[in-house]
């Protein structure tokens, strides 16, 4: 694109170019859920399948005096960051912004006006609707390319993209139910349990009593073997003769 020649400059520094211009930091900010604001507040960005939800928080205790002013200031600061993050993350579709509640209508208007002004800088087409009584603003943003997260990331293979895995207690109780369920092999002398090392520790430390009760009830010893390569939620039960 020879026409754009004047917009391009060769970088010949020794430092990696991403470090030199702080791009690495901006990318990590753009991929995280929590983005801090200078005032100590922060925003939480959740990119769901059908919509993006952004939540604004004050982050620390705000005194009763000038509460409304502090909140409005945080909301206005959030407006700039939200507009920047939406551009950077290239979010599209329906976007829901949850600002901190403001009592005065004039302050709500300030925030909406600031939002609309900020989005004038956006090359993508945006449409900001008014603020609901709960302080929620609905907006849309039209984009053509995939969002940054979809471009640079893939769903977490460990939690399957859910963002959560079962707690150790839940896994242990699932395991105990399985032990009670599957013991019609009367000839078995013991039960061998294969679990992730962290679950083995949890069984010994937190569930020892339940473990002993189960052994007594089933009339069999339970031998625990650890499997380094297991997923935390994974376990296997074998009868030993
Ligand atoms: Zn995960």
């Amino acid at each position: 694109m020879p026409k754009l020649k004047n917009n391009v400059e060769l970088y010949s520094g020794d430092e990696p170019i991403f470090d030199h211009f702080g791009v690495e930091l901006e990318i990590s900010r753009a991929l995280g859920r929590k983005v801090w604001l200078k005032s100590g507040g922060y925003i939480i960005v959740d990119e769901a399948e059908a919509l993006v939800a952004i939540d604004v928080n004050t982050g620390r205790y705000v005194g009763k005096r000038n509460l409304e002013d502090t909140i409005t200031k945080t909301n206005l600061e959030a407006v700039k960051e939200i507009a920047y993050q939406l551009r950077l993350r290239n979010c599209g579709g329906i976007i829901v912004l949850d600002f901190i509640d403001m009592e005065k209508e004039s302050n709500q208007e300030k925030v909406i006006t600031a939002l609309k002004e900020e989005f004038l800088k956006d090359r993508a087409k945006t449409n900001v609707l008014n603020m609901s009584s709960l302080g929620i603003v609905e907006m849309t943003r039209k984009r053509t390319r995939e969002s940054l997260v979809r471009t640079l990331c893939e769903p977490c293979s460990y939690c399957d993209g859910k963002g959560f895995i079962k707690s150790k207690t839940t896994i242990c109780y699932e395991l105990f139910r399985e032990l009670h369920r599957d013991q019609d092999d009367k000839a078995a002398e013991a039960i061998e349990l294969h679990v992730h090392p962290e679950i083995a520790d949890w069984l010994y430390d937190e569930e020892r009593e339940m473990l002993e009760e189960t052994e007594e009830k089933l009339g069999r010893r339970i031998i625990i073997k650890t499997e380094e390569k297991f997923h935390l939620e994974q376990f296997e039960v074998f009868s030993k003769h």
Side-chain angles (χ1 to χ4, degrees):
M1 285 186 262
K3 255 200 274 173
L4 296 177
K5 205 173 115 190
N6 291 332
N7 295 350
V8 186
E9 202 181 303
L10 177 67
Y11 173 77
S12 51
D14 290 330
E15 217 185 337
I17 190 165
F18 271 34
D19 291 355
H20 187 74
F21 292 100
V23 178
E24 208 73 72
L25 179 76
E26 288 304 303
I27 289 178
S28 73
R29 258 164 60 89
L31 295 178
R33 268 186 90 219
K34 196 173 193 173
V35 183
W36 287 98
L37 306 171
K38 281 203 186 79
S39 65
Y42 59 91
I43 60 172
I44 298 278
V45 185
D46 278 312
E47 290 182 52
E49 204 77 49
L51 64 81
V52 179
I54 302 183
D55 190 21
V56 183
N57 296 278
T58 48
R60 53 165 182 210
Y61 176 74
V62 197
K64 276 227 164 68
R65 272 183 65 206
N66 297 324
L67 183 64
E68 174 90 359
D69 285 352
T70 311
I71 287 173
T72 308
K73 240 183 83 195
T74 306
N75 279 339
L76 286 171
E77 200 191 351
V79 161
K80 281 199 188 318
E81 191 63 41
I82 287 168
Y84 175 63
Q85 289 296 326
L86 288 178
R87 288 202 304 272
L88 203 59
R89 292 168 190 243
N90 202 22
C91 296
I94 298 168
I95 298 158
V96 174
L97 311 174
D98 187 3
F99 286 98
I100 312 161
D101 288 348
M102 293 166 291
E103 275 169 24
K104 288 189 195 147
E105 212 167 294
S106 60
N107 286 333
Q108 298 176 8
E109 269 160 28
K110 249 187 230 168
V111 170
I112 290 289
T113 309
L115 254 182
K116 286 180 177 164
E117 257 168 37
E118 206 58 42
F119 282 117
L120 289 178
K121 296 177 197 164
D122 201 326
R123 270 191 293 175
K125 196 175 175 290
T126 58
N127 184 21
V128 178
L129 279 75
N130 285 331
M131 193 177 282
S132 78
S133 46
L134 290 174
I136 287 176
V137 177
E138 292 175 2
M139 62 168 289
T140 57
R141 184 174 186 273
K142 206 172 187 143
R143 64 157 154 76
T144 41
R145 280 174 300 129
E146 283 270 52
S147 79
L148 190 69
V149 170
R150 307 241 164 205
T151 309
L152 299 184
C153 305
E154 58 183 25
C156 169
S157 60
Y158 205 79
C159 70
D160 224 355
K162 289 195 297 272
F164 293 92
I165 55 169
K166 287 176 190 156
S167 72
K168 294 188 189 74
T169 308
T170 302
I171 295 166
C172 286
Y173 279 84
E174 216 168 77
L175 201 152
F176 285 129
R177 286 197 297 277
E178 180 63 25
L179 286 176
H180 282 101
R181 196 177 292 135
D182 199 26
Q183 296 308 322
D184 37 6
D185 186 356
K186 299 283 180 237
E189 280 168 13
I191 298 161
E192 202 171 280
L193 195 56
H194 292 218
V195 292
H196 188 278
E198 280 186 44
I199 296 299
D201 287 344
W202 194 265
L203 281 168
Y204 286 130
D205 296 339
E206 308 291 330
E207 302 293 346
R208 180 171 284 276
E209 234 172 274
M210 187 68 173
L211 198 60
E212 284 165 3
E213 259 174 50
T214 308
E215 277 189 323
E216 210 170 301
K217 212 166 176 185
L218 298 176
R220 270 169 226 144
R221 251 176 349 114
I222 298 172
I223 304 158
I224 297 173
K225 294 256 162 92
T226 58
E227 298 275 3
E228 297 279 345
K229 290 203 172 97
F230 268 18
H231 185 281
L232 201 77
E233 293 177 354
Q234 190 183 353
F235 59 80
E236 277 170 17
V237 180
F238 300 97
S239 294
K240 294 295 273 185
H241 295 95

